[in-house]
Amino acid sequence: DDINKDNPLGFEGKLANAFSSFLKRQWFGINPIISPQNIRKEIAILGEQWRTDQQQDAEEFVRWLLDGLHEDLNLIKKK
């Protein structure tokens, strides 16, 4: 498995799994219409700053998302 569920800096693989599921639904056309509700809920659970319905900074979100995916997928156990 390529997900590091033990990384204390990550989200136990939850972010990587939610993002993967979202992309698979888009890429493989499982549903003709894709709603971002599921990934939005998961992101709100994992990131406290994304729980509000107010407008957020897109760059800050992309940085948070990429950092979270990096930590969920980082397989290095010791540095």
Side-chain angles (χ1 to χ4, degrees):
D1 198 9
D2 292 331
I3 296 177
N4 185 350
K5 296 179 180 179
D6 300 323
N7 186 344
L9 300 175
F11 297 104
E12 300 173 346
K14 294 175 186 172
L15 182 60
N17 284 329
F19 193 66
S20 171
S21 175
F22 179 69
L23 289 180
K24 283 178 186 175
R25 277 181 281 173
Q26 286 184 331
W27 187 262
F28 296 114
I30 295 169
N31 298 327
I33 298 172
I34 305 298
S35 172
Q37 288 178 344
N38 290 338
I39 192 156
R40 169 80 166 90
K41 287 178 188 176
E42 191 67 33
I43 287 169
I45 290 169
L46 298 173
E48 184 177 323
Q49 67 270 39
W50 312 118
R51 291 183 189 153
T52 179
D53 287 333
Q54 295 182 358
Q55 186 172 345
Q56 301 290 332
D57 183 38
E59 180 187 2
E60 185 180 342
F61 172 72
V62 170
R63 285 177 186 257
W64 176 87
L65 178 64
L66 291 176
D67 186 52
L69 290 173
H70 168 78
E71 296 299 344
D72 274 1
L73 300 173
N74 186 356
L75 296 179
I76 295 176
K77 303 290 183 187
K78 281 181 131 181
K79 288 188 178 184

